[in-house]
Amino acid sequence: MSSIDRSQSVGGTRTYEVRTYGCQMNVHDSERLSGLLEDAGYVRAPEGSDGDADVVVFNTCAVRENADNKLYGNLGHLAPKKASRPGMQIAVGGCLAQKDRDTIVKRAPWVDVVFGTHNIGKLPVLLERARVQEEAQVEIAESLEAFPSTLPTRRESAYAAWVSISVGCNNTCTFCIVPALRGKEKDRRPGDILAEIEALVAEGVSEITLLGQNVNAYGSDIGDREAFSKLLRACGTIDGLERVRFTSPHPRDFTDDVIAAMAETPNVMPQLHMPLQSGSDPVLKAMRRSYRQERYLGIIEKVRAAIPHAAISTDIIVGFPGETEEDFQQTLHVVREARFAQAFTFQYSKRPGTPAAEMDGQIPKQVVQERYERLVALQEEISWEENKKQVGRTLELMVAEGEGRKDGATHRLSGRAPDSRLVHFTKPEQEVRPGDVVTVEITYAAPHHLLAEGAVLDVRRTRAGDAWEKRTTEKAAQPSGVLLGLPKVGVPEPLPAVTGGCAVD
């Protein structure tokens, strides 16, 4: 028996596992990596395989200070498994691979393939080349070879999908290394984007999230400053597309035509995630953010005037080098004025390779921690107060899969409101599937979720629910479950889970 034969584990077919770390762009890329591997004849390893697949792929992130330590720790965990399993292969891709290149193979010589952010389409070829030549293959492209959305895909959800409209970023934020790893912004043609959305809707998808490192800068590469608002309006003409979201916009590029398109396009949801990072003008200048507090709050005011029920969320970094107590107070001021529905708050940590990592005025850990705790406490209070305003409202929810961890014990189901708030609701007697739409009345508010404890007012079965049911039936007899490194990957997260410049500007 050959080494390859000995490692086959599912009916003679080689299995794969993808582990994803970082932002929505990485999650989207991992769907493409899975699609490429399945197109090449691999099948997903059963859930919980924990490195027992024939091919383990790490799709990495480089924005955290300890990202490399985490990667090498995981690679070290797999070393003995690979040694005892002839034919097993390990591949490392993503931002850390783009950054560290040959270092990965030097520190972990049992790795078979290293590929970058620009050439994910090469993974199956590189794996085969490594197998035949019996040596590691390191191939890092300096520019994009194929737009990710043109590659095969294995989507994680039957009813909701990411749609990438651009890659790269033209900003130079001092805390962010993404432009160096993903390159300058490159936009897709509008016709290609709309064609992909129409194809997804034909498959049963009813919610899409437009994705870009700086999503509302879309058009700068193709010479049309209103391209993003035009794209939003065009999404409104696609029959069967019920919900459109986008992440993440940059305040610099947030223009009035985008606000108008959001307000006037019925299937564009009343939700906005717009990173603040700091409320202090001096800190924003040091971050090289091209807006100031007044500009940011002005956008919030315009959005609220046009879309009164919009839920607005943000990202905030606490303890950026040189931040004083007065600077921090300005951040708290913006939080009070903006009244965010949710804020993703982070303690500043050095990102290797960024200008901020070398700045004077690094803030002591205990100071950063104390400020962070004050900010979280204020935002928790505001989030709860804003959620309480939802009590008594009647909302349409898109039923979600895997969003309610306690649903089994509480006999509830979970769904997302149009503004993306998470709602747990009483399970109706009628069958309800992920992707279906229910109408409920909100009866209780907590800081991070809402409850609808009364009877469901209406159930609307949808083509999206049909698509989920079909996929579930087809998967029943097949191995499933890729180990992704982010929570709740089954549905594209409407709000970012990470910050620091990786798909969040």
Side-chain angles (χ1 to χ4, degrees):
M1 182 179 292
S2 70
S3 62
I4 296 298
D5 291 336
R6 288 168 60 191
S7 68
Q8 293 171 353
S9 56
V10 178
T13 302
R14 285 170 62 76
T15 59
Y16 75 89
E17 172 190 329
V18 178
R19 299 185 183 185
T20 308
Y21 305 93
C23 66
Q24 302 94 327
M25 191 68 76
N26 273 14
V27 176
H28 184 56
D29 284 349
S30 287
E31 292 184 334
R32 304 297 168 180
L33 292 170
S34 297
L36 285 160
L37 290 170
E38 294 193 6
D39 203 45
Y42 295 82
V43 299
R44 292 178 91 172
E47 188 169 356
S49 295
D50 191 25
D52 287 331
D54 299 297
V55 172
V56 179
V57 182
F58 291 87
N59 191 9
T60 64
C61 172
V63 302
R64 294 297 179 204
E65 187 175 14
N66 64 348
D68 55 346
N69 292 334
K70 187 171 185 178
L71 171 66
Y72 293 117
N74 287 325
L75 291 175
H77 176 72
L78 287 185
K81 290 192 176 187
K82 185 179 180 187
S84 64
R85 184 173 180 140
M88 180 181 177
Q89 292 182 295
I90 299 172
V92 178
C95 289
L96 193 61
Q98 188 80 21
K99 174 177 171 287
D100 286 356
R101 307 180 180 223
D102 296 329
T103 304
I104 293 173
V105 174
K106 290 178 181 177
R107 291 186 60 177
W110 54 92
V111 170
D112 299 276
V113 171
V114 178
F115 62 100
T117 60
H118 299 309
N119 62 330
I120 64 175
K122 288 287 188 67
L123 176 59
V125 171
L126 294 173
L127 287 168
E128 180 63 12
R129 191 187 300 165
R131 184 188 68 82
V132 171
Q133 297 182 7
E134 297 184 341
E135 64 179 12
Q137 301 296 308
V138 179
E139 189 168 308
I140 306 292
E142 296 302 330
S143 59
L144 192 67
E145 294 185 350
F147 206 93
S149 291
T150 64
L151 301 172
T153 186
R154 188 195 193 285
R155 290 186 295 106
E156 295 299 322
S157 169
Y159 53 91
W162 305 106
V163 175
S164 186
I165 70 170
S166 65
V167 294
C169 181
N170 294 335
N171 294 317
T172 57
C173 301
T174 55
F175 56 79
C176 179
I177 198 170
V178 168
L181 303 180
R182 295 225 176 228
K184 294 294 185 179
E185 180 177 329
K186 184 174 180 60
D187 296 335
R188 290 179 76 189
R189 289 169 42 189
D192 293 340
I193 297 169
L194 294 171
E196 180 182 355
I197 295 172
E198 289 170 350
L200 289 168
V201 172
E203 294 174 5
V205 168
S206 60
E207 177 177 320
I208 60 104
T209 301
L210 302 175
L211 183 63
Q213 239 96 34
N214 182 7
V215 70
N216 62 327
Y218 177 75
S220 62
D221 183 47
I222 57 179
D224 185 352
R225 292 182 59 84
E226 295 189 353
F228 186 62
S229 62
K230 292 175 182 176
L231 181 61
L232 290 178
R233 292 184 186 277
C235 287
T237 68
I238 298 177
D239 187 39
L241 179 59
E242 297 196 20
R243 295 186 172 191
V244 178
R245 306 185 190 277
F246 57 89
T247 194
S248 283
H250 193 294
R252 182 195 67 184
D253 303 300
F254 213 95
T255 49
D256 291 349
D257 60 297
V258 172
I259 297 173
M262 291 175 64
E264 296 166 10
T265 309
N267 62 356
V268 175
M269 294 294 97
Q271 174 221 338
L272 173 63
H273 181 84
M274 188 168 65
L276 168 65
Q277 306 303 10
S278 174
S280 162
D281 288 354
V283 173
L284 289 171
K285 183 178 180 180
M287 288 179 167
R288 231 180 269 160
R289 303 287 286 180
S290 51
Y291 56 90
R292 298 297 178 259
Q293 180 188 118
E294 183 179 5
R295 160 74 172 158
Y296 187 94
L297 288 174
I299 295 171
I300 299 292
E301 184 178 358
K302 289 180 179 179
V303 170
R304 289 239 162 86
I307 314 167
H309 288 298
I312 301 174
S313 58
T314 196
D315 298 328
I316 300 173
I317 298 173
V318 178
F320 187 81
E323 180 189 76
T324 65
E325 175 63 23
E326 182 180 352
D327 292 324
F328 179 65
Q329 287 296 328
Q330 289 301 306
T331 295
L332 297 182
H333 169 71
V334 175
V335 170
R336 293 187 187 100
E337 290 293 311
R339 299 198 63 80
F340 298 114
Q342 188 175 14
F344 296 92
T345 53
F346 297 87
Q347 298 183 39
Y348 173 78
S349 61
K350 292 182 180 181
R351 272 66 164 176
T354 63
E358 306 301 322
M359 285 182 175
D360 294 332
Q362 301 288 328
I363 310 299
K365 170 66 177 175
Q366 63 270 25
V367 175
V368 177
Q369 180 68 34
E370 190 272 337
R371 290 177 184 170
Y372 174 80
E373 290 173 359
R374 278 191 280 159
L375 173 61
V376 169
L378 173 62
Q379 183 55 51
E380 287 278 301
E381 178 184 337
I382 292 172
S383 293
W384 199 357
E385 290 173 355
E386 291 301 305
N387 274 359
K388 287 176 182 177
K389 295 177 182 178
Q390 305 300 309
V391 174
R393 293 188 66 196
T394 298
L395 301 175
E396 274 198 339
L397 312 179
M398 181 174 289
V399 182
E401 181 177 27
E403 296 249 35
R405 291 174 295 176
K406 299 179 181 179
D407 283 350
T410 58
H411 304 290
R412 293 182 179 130
L413 297 176
S414 299
R416 289 280 175 179
D419 65 7
S420 193
R421 283 182 166 92
L422 179 63
V423 182
H424 306 300
F425 62 94
T426 302
K427 187 175 182 179
E429 293 184 6
Q430 182 179 347
E431 180 190 18
V432 178
R433 308 159 302 177
D436 286 339
V437 175
V438 299
T439 303
V440 301
E441 181 179 336
I442 304 302
T443 58
Y444 175 82
H448 302 294
H449 69 268
L450 302 171
L451 291 182
E453 299 164 298
V456 170
L457 303 177
D458 184 61
V459 174
R460 176 163 60 86
R461 292 173 69 85
T462 65
R463 291 174 60 252
D466 294 341
W468 178 89
E469 186 173 8
K470 179 182 178 183
R471 176 187 279 199
T472 303
T473 301
E474 290 174 348
K475 286 173 62 178
Q478 299 175 359
S480 63
V482 66
L483 297 176
L484 291 170
L486 287 176
K488 298 184 289 187
V489 173
V491 181
E493 284 283 358
L495 297 176
V498 296
T499 187
C502 199
V504 180
D505 283 305

